[in-house]
Amino acid sequence: MEETVAVFDFGSQTAQLIARRIRELGVYCEIVRHDTSRDELLELGPAAIILSGGPSSVFEPRHPRMDRRILDMGVPVLGICYGMQLLAEIMGGTVERGEGGEYGPARIDVEDPIGIFKDMPSSLNVWMSHGDHVTKTPEGFRTLAGTPTCPIAAMADSGGKIYGIQFHPEVVHTPRGSDIIRNFLFNVASCRGGWTMGRFVDESVKRIKALVGNHNVICGLSGGVDSSVAAALINRAIGDRMKAIFVDNGLLRKGEVEEIRSMFTDDYPFNFQIVDAADLFLDELKGVVDPETKRKIIGKTFIDVFYDAASDVKGAKFLAQGTLYPDIIESRSANGGPSSTIKSHHNVGGLPEDLNFELLEPLKELFKDEVRLLGKELGLPSKLLARQPFPGPGLAVRIIGEVTRDDLAILREADLIMREEIESYDEKKEIWQFFAVLLPVKSVGVMGDERTYANVVALRAVTSLDAMTADWARIPYDVLGRISSRIINEVNGVNRVVYDISSKPPSTIEWE
């Protein structure tokens, strides 16, 4: 890759947003560990470096640091939030603990419109999220912008190569944030741009070929967008040496197995096998209530099934998954960084320590919308790319409590009705994801002049751009009414339907 920006990850939940903004501007970037050494970075040969924010404080005894020698390479550097504070600490400035901090919208006054603030107005709305702040710039630095509570909200060295900003330009709440990043890339770092998803395909194919060599790959295919795009990308690189294995775990939506079979034998054919393991999964889940335990069991069983299926694939060294970046940062620290864990995911949380395959995760630095663009570049059918996101554990995490065959039957019918009604809704394109959840409660009802005591179904529909944040969809009452009426009248065992109006955060999109 001729031109690369290195994003140092200090544990920020928005580190990948930085990378995404850079790629949107036509510059390739990679997220690297915060402790990447100067020698390792020299191999990457970055045109610019961005230091992310993070949850740590420079006052913590073991706060995440960076190789000081990197700052002497002459490569332009932009430190964001914690990244700015770390720059100040390393280079001799002063950082102090804030009494209350700044969290939310703020307005900065630009005192010196150079570099990253070139051609920008003298006052900007930005998004702050910090407690500590820089109170004295390092020697040779000057203040570029400030607020009443944060006098040094931006700084730069005299050479115009190293910048620090206390706010977050990567989030949508900083309206001119992309312009600031653009100025850093093109005015400060003199990047040329021109990177496209087509080039990402070319570079990914090269990396996959180099990594896999003469070995074979088995790919865990769920039939969703993520795993399908991963399989198509690997197939582009190594052809039939990749075998995609679809495991019917008995936790799928109604008609899904037949749909997957048609998709990958007729519409977009490649080396593909279906393994029926429904009974095995359901037996393993008997009596299990805890959602994390469910995920771990499903992940382990999934791998066990793969081992059996892979025994017929000679020379299989790699297990490929459609893991995305949101999966990783909600499941563990991204790239080894100090970010907090929200929950485990099927793709990244259920794998055994003694995994007999090397993992191949070609999409792990992409968001969902980028994966759809990649799928389009690869020529995947539009009906596949438009499919609803579906969790690896399937309906198991949409049945709150123990998973039984009877409850699966109820949820499949309710889910199908919701999908049918939303598909006929004129504004369906505004909805990112929608599904039904079977709750572990029963309610009293009256049906046919008789008292009932039956199940409750919750409907969930959200709008989102990247699954990192989401808001509940404002579906018209008449549409919700039709869904509710049909579920109660057509699904045996349900007498009440409710609608989930919580956003992410504080909730997650899935219930478990």
Side-chain angles (χ1 to χ4, degrees):
M1 180 62 65
E2 296 179 359
E3 184 178 71
T4 302
V5 173
V7 178
F8 277 60
D9 182 7
F10 288 93
S12 172
Q13 295 288 342
T14 61
Q16 181 64 14
L17 282 178
I18 300 171
R20 183 179 173 198
R21 299 291 175 250
I22 295 170
R23 289 198 292 263
E24 287 173 348
L25 293 169
V27 179
Y28 180 73
C29 66
E30 291 187 13
I31 297 177
V32 301
R33 290 172 55 103
H34 67 87
D35 55 358
T36 297
S37 70
R38 179 181 181 274
D39 293 339
E40 291 171 324
L41 195 64
L42 281 172
E43 293 183 11
L44 184 63
I49 296 168
I50 294 183
L51 312 179
S52 83
S56 302
S57 165
V58 296
F59 295 103
E60 296 173 1
R62 300 182 65 182
H63 64 274
R65 303 184 63 83
M66 65 179 293
D67 187 337
R68 170 65 176 82
R69 299 174 299 162
I70 289 172
L71 301 178
D72 299 325
M73 291 172 55
V75 178
V77 177
L78 172 63
I80 297 174
C81 197
Y82 176 82
M84 173 182 176
Q85 297 159 16
L86 184 64
L87 281 175
E89 183 213 30
I90 290 175
M91 303 187 78
T94 302
V95 182
E96 293 185 2
R97 291 187 181 275
E99 294 183 3
E102 280 185 297
Y103 302 96
R107 193 165 183 82
I108 63 169
D109 295 317
V110 179
E111 303 170 15
D112 200 347
I114 63 167
I116 60 174
F117 293 120
K118 182 181 179 182
D119 298 327
M120 303 286 278
S122 59
S123 185
L124 292 171
N125 292 320
V126 300
W127 185 264
M128 294 279 195
S129 181
H130 69 99
D132 303 342
H133 58 275
V134 177
T135 55
K136 180 183 178 182
T137 62
E139 184 176 350
F141 279 69
R142 54 179 164 169
T143 300
L144 300 183
T147 73
T149 56
C150 183
I152 307 177
M155 65 181 189
D157 72 337
S158 57
K161 287 285 189 179
I162 301 178
Y163 290 79
I165 53 178
Q166 189 55 71
F167 57 92
H168 289 269
E170 70 272 22
V171 302
V172 295
H173 310 293
T174 299
R176 297 295 297 272
S178 289
D179 294 329
I180 291 171
I181 295 175
R182 178 185 289 106
N183 275 339
F184 175 69
L185 295 176
F186 299 107
N187 294 333
V188 176
S190 300
C191 290
R192 298 179 303 278
W195 178 83
T196 63
M197 189 58 75
R199 290 185 64 180
F200 177 83
V201 171
D202 294 339
E203 292 298 321
S204 296
V205 166
K206 290 178 184 177
R207 285 197 295 268
I208 292 169
K209 286 182 176 179
L211 177 65
V212 172
N214 294 323
H215 297 284
N216 292 329
V217 176
I218 56 173
C219 180
L221 185 67
S222 71
V225 175
D226 306 339
S227 64
S228 299
V229 172
L233 182 59
I234 298 167
N235 181 70
R236 172 75 63 91
I238 63 172
D240 283 348
R241 286 194 291 118
M242 178 209 71
K243 184 169 188 177
I245 299 176
F246 174 73
V247 176
D248 178 4
N249 58 13
L251 306 169
L252 304 172
R253 293 169 288 197
K254 189 170 183 178
E256 198 149 28
V257 176
E258 294 73 22
E259 188 177 334
I260 298 300
R261 180 180 288 108
S262 174
M263 182 78 67
F264 297 112
T265 56
D266 300 327
D267 298 331
Y268 197 92
F270 47 57
N271 194 2
F272 169 63
Q273 175 187 358
I274 295 178
V275 179
D276 183 357
D279 289 340
L280 175 61
F281 277 85
L282 294 177
D283 287 344
E284 292 292 330
L285 289 170
K286 283 182 180 177
V288 178
V289 174
D290 178 71
E292 283 297 285
T293 304
K294 285 185 194 176
R295 290 177 181 272
K296 298 294 184 182
I297 289 173
I298 291 169
K300 181 181 182 304
T301 307
F302 180 80
I303 292 301
D304 290 343
V305 172
F306 253 82
Y307 281 159
D308 289 339
S311 63
D312 295 330
V313 183
K314 295 182 180 180
K317 183 179 179 181
F318 295 88
L319 169 62
Q321 298 189 133
T323 308
L324 304 190
Y325 190 77
D327 297 336
I328 291 175
I329 62 178
E330 288 189 348
S331 304
R332 64 175 181 235
S333 300
N335 290 298
S339 57
S340 60
T341 296
I342 298 171
K343 63 182 179 181
S344 67
H345 279 257
H346 170 65
N347 282 347
V348 293
L351 299 179
E353 293 182 2
D354 60 346
L355 182 68
N356 290 341
F357 300 102
E358 292 185 28
L359 278 180
L360 177 58
E361 298 172 309
L363 313 181
K364 67 180 179 181
E365 290 186 353
L366 298 181
F367 280 105
K368 177 72 79 172
D369 58 330
E370 293 176 312
V371 172
R372 288 195 169 101
L373 290 175
L374 175 57
K376 185 176 181 180
E377 185 73 28
L378 291 167
L380 284 167
S382 57
K383 65 180 180 180
L384 169 64
L385 299 178
R387 292 191 71 188
Q388 281 281 295
F390 192 59
L395 299 180
V397 291
R398 294 178 180 174
I399 294 175
I400 311 304
E402 182 182 4
V403 179
T404 68
R405 286 174 171 78
D406 288 344
D407 285 348
L408 281 167
I410 291 173
L411 184 56
R412 282 195 182 100
E413 295 299 329
D415 177 80
L416 178 62
I417 289 171
M418 185 178 188
R419 282 190 282 152
E420 289 175 346
E421 291 297 329
I422 294 296
E423 284 300 319
S424 63
Y425 170 46
D426 291 340
E427 304 298 324
K428 67 178 180 180
K429 290 184 179 180
E430 303 299 320
I431 302 176
W432 169 271
Q433 190 173 2
F434 53 88
F435 54 88
V437 179
L438 186 61
L439 304 185
V441 295
K442 293 184 183 295
S443 71
V444 174
V446 177
M447 301 178 74
D449 294 328
E450 294 184 3
R451 178 185 182 276
T452 61
Y453 189 57
N455 293 286
V456 179
V457 167
L459 307 178
R460 178 70 158 150
V462 298
T463 58
S464 180
L465 292 175
D466 49 33
M468 295 299 296
T469 61
D471 194 14
W472 60 278
R474 272 62 172 180
I475 298 176
Y477 291 154
D478 60 330
V479 177
L480 292 174
R482 285 199 303 272
I483 298 171
S484 174
S485 178
R486 283 194 59 192
I487 290 175
I488 292 173
N489 284 286
E490 297 176 28
V491 182
N492 291 330
V494 177
N495 68 359
R496 191 176 301 269
V497 174
V498 298
Y499 188 50
D500 181 350
I501 59 170
S502 51
S503 61
K504 174 187 180 180
S507 301
T508 54
I509 294 178
E510 297 287 347
W511 277 50
E512 286 194 341

